[in-house]
């Protein structure tokens, strides 16, 4: 059991969760990015690299994405390789961050698949970032340089906002300007600090 507070932060692709994490950081709330932890684990010489190559015959992200889109079992196999390693490395990173920033009111753990990985109840609270579908599609198209259909497929392959919200203790709706989102983060931060 941790001796410090950690809130989970999640949201679907294109929801703006990474932007929200950065905004919290600007208010003195540091975070661990589970997606970055996963990328590190997949590098040559790291724990997941060989296991992924042995199972899928490749570690190339685009080739893996293609395999995963055709084979539901492949997705489960990849998660079985990565999720325990991500959890272990993330807990280490949170402990180090807590030592480096003992002044922080709490820490954030940002993860795309936090609920899917069965970790929704592992934190002092769970913040879910949501956004209108069209906004998400546009963000994914701009970020990945893909077409509308590909962006929509990526979004629909994940849990819906409604499903995510069932596990949340707090939510942020990202549907206005950047300033609106900043105000939403500030309001939520005040609410958490007062809890």
């Amino acid at each position: 059991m941790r001796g410090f507070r950690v809130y989970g932060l999640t949201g679907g692709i294109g929801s703006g969760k990474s932007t929200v994490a950065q905004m919290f950081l600007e208010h003195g709330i540091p975070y661990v990015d589970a997606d970055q932890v996963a990328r590190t684990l997949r590098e040559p010489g790291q724990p997941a690299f060989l296991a992924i190559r042995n199972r899928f015959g490749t570690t190339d992200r685009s080739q893996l994405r293609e395999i995963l889109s055709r084979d539901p079992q492949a997705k489960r196999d990849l998660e079985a390789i990565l999720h325990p390693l991500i959890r272990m490395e993330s807990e280490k990173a949170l402990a180090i961050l807590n030592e480096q920033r003992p002044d922080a009111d709490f820490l954030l753990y940002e993860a795309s698949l936090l609920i899917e990985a069965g970790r929704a109840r592992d934190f002092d609270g769970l913040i879910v970032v949501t956004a209108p579908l069209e906004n998400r599609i546009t963000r994914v198209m701009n970020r990945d340089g893909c077409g509308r259909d590909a962006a929509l497929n990526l979004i629909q392959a994940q849990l819906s906002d409604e499903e995510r919200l069932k596990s949340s203790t707090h939510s942020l709706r990202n549907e206005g300007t950047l300033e609106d989102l900043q105000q939403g983060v500030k309001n939520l931060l005040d609410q958490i600090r007062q809890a």
Side-chain angles (χ1 to χ4, degrees):
M1 194 71 190
R2 297 181 200 100
F4 50 93
R5 289 199 308 166
V6 180
Y7 278 71
L9 174 66
T10 194
I13 188 170
S15 65
K17 110 186 122 41
S18 296
T19 301
V20 167
Q22 277 299 124
M23 289 177 177
F24 270 104
L25 183 61
E26 290 165 12
H27 287 284
I29 306 299
Y31 67 95
V32 169
D33 178 350
D35 294 339
Q36 181 57 51
V37 171
R39 282 190 288 276
T40 300
L41 286 167
R42 294 164 74 151
E43 292 174 359
Q46 294 298 315
F49 181 84
L50 278 178
I52 291 171
R53 191 174 68 191
N54 290 343
R55 165 56 180 91
F56 299 100
T58 183
T59 57
D60 179 80
R61 288 179 68 96
S62 60
Q63 289 177 7
L64 282 171
R65 205 173 296 134
E66 173 63 28
I67 292 167
L68 298 177
S69 70
R70 301 189 313 261
D71 181 0
Q73 182 58 47
K75 183 174 187 275
R76 290 188 290 273
D77 291 349
L78 182 62
E79 289 171 354
I81 293 167
L82 284 174
H83 287 177
L85 292 169
I86 292 169
R87 182 180 192 136
M88 184 175 66
E89 292 302 315
S90 296
E91 287 298 327
K92 287 181 196 172
L94 285 166
I96 291 168
L97 197 54
N98 181 60
E99 287 177 15
Q100 293 171 341
R101 293 293 310 275
D103 59 313
D105 293 318
F106 59 93
L107 305 177
L108 279 179
Y109 177 72
E110 177 200 352
S112 302
L113 301 177
L114 195 148
I115 295 167
E116 295 88 331
R119 301 217 43 212
R121 300 282 173 248
D122 290 357
F123 304 94
D124 295 284
L126 179 61
I127 303 164
V128 172
V129 181
T130 64
L133 179 60
E134 287 305 316
N135 295 19
R136 293 176 65 191
I137 290 170
T138 301
R139 287 183 195 126
V140 173
M141 288 170 61
N142 291 338
R143 186 192 75 186
D144 293 357
C146 64
R148 179 182 172 79
D149 288 346
L152 187 58
N153 286 341
L154 286 171
I155 291 168
Q156 290 176 336
Q158 296 183 335
L159 284 180
S160 68
D161 283 346
E162 292 73 24
E163 285 299 312
R164 276 192 199 86
L165 287 169
K166 289 177 187 175
S167 299
S168 71
T169 57
H170 302 84
S171 64
L172 272 171
R173 184 93 173 134
N174 182 10
E175 61 186 347
T177 65
L178 210 52
E179 291 75 23
D180 292 336
L181 187 59
Q182 286 169 331
Q183 187 60 51
V185 167
K186 185 180 181 313
N187 294 345
L188 179 54
L189 180 55
D190 291 343
Q191 186 182 352
I192 292 172
R193 281 177 170 154
Q194 292 167 10

